[in-house]
Amino acid sequence: DKSAGLSKHIGESQATIMRLERELASERAETTRLAAAVEEWKKSSNEQSEACQRHIEKAQAAAQDKLALQATLQMDLDNKTKLLQLSKKAQEDAEKEMARVQAHSSMSASRVQNAERMLQEERAEA
């Protein structure tokens, strides 16, 4: 009777051990599957992070290019403004010089006319 009870207890224990071993194997398989999923997620996350970093770097480079272009355009505008001012000043100077030359020319023409008139008068008197 004891032998049958012991045999039954051993059978139940072996069945429990086998069930626990199956559960442990199932848990190990699930742990391995989850670990693989975590590694895949990490890899994907790193790839996305690197892609975002590259995008940020491109955006920063584009912003720097835009700022450099704006600075260049501003310098170009400043230079053109200075050239326009110089051109206006040169035109004013040229107009003043032209007026001075015209006044001198008119004065010279008036002197020539007076000299011709005086010469004609002297000839007429002679």
Side-chain angles (χ1 to χ4, degrees), residues 56-118:
I56 289 169
E57 289 168 0
K58 285 180 183 178
Q60 288 173 335
Q64 288 174 348
D65 288 348
K66 182 181 177 187
L67 289 175
L69 179 60
Q70 284 177 330
T72 300
L73 290 173
Q74 185 61 49
M75 281 191 335
D76 188 43
L77 179 61
D78 292 346
N79 289 338
K80 286 180 180 175
T81 301
K82 288 176 186 175
L83 285 174
L84 179 61
Q85 290 170 347
L86 288 172
S87 176
K88 285 180 180 179
K89 176 73 171 121
Q91 185 176 356
E92 289 171 4
D93 291 348
E95 288 172 357
K96 287 177 185 176
E97 182 63 17
M98 192 173 219
R100 187 186 69 74
V101 167
Q102 284 176 344
H104 182 69
S105 176
S106 293
M107 201 165 50
S108 293
S110 178
R111 284 185 193 150
V112 167
Q113 286 175 353
N114 284 339
E116 287 176 349
R117 190 174 33 87
M118 288 173 63

Side-chain angles (χ1 to χ4, degrees), residues 11-31:
E12 289 174 354
S13 293
Q14 286 177 342
T16 301
I17 289 171
M18 288 175 59
R19 181 182 55 81
L20 290 175
E21 285 176 345
R22 283 191 308 274
E23 288 176 8
L24 180 59
S26 175
E27 289 294 325
R28 283 184 179 152
E30 181 66 9
T31 300

Side-chain angles (χ1 to χ4, degrees), residues 28-51:
R28 283 184 179 152
E30 181 66 9
T31 300
T32 300
R33 186 190 68 76
L34 289 174
V38 166
E39 287 304 314
E40 186 61 33
W41 179 83
K42 283 181 185 178
K43 180 181 173 185
S44 174
S45 178
N46 286 339
E47 289 171 355
Q48 288 177 358
S49 177
E50 289 170 3

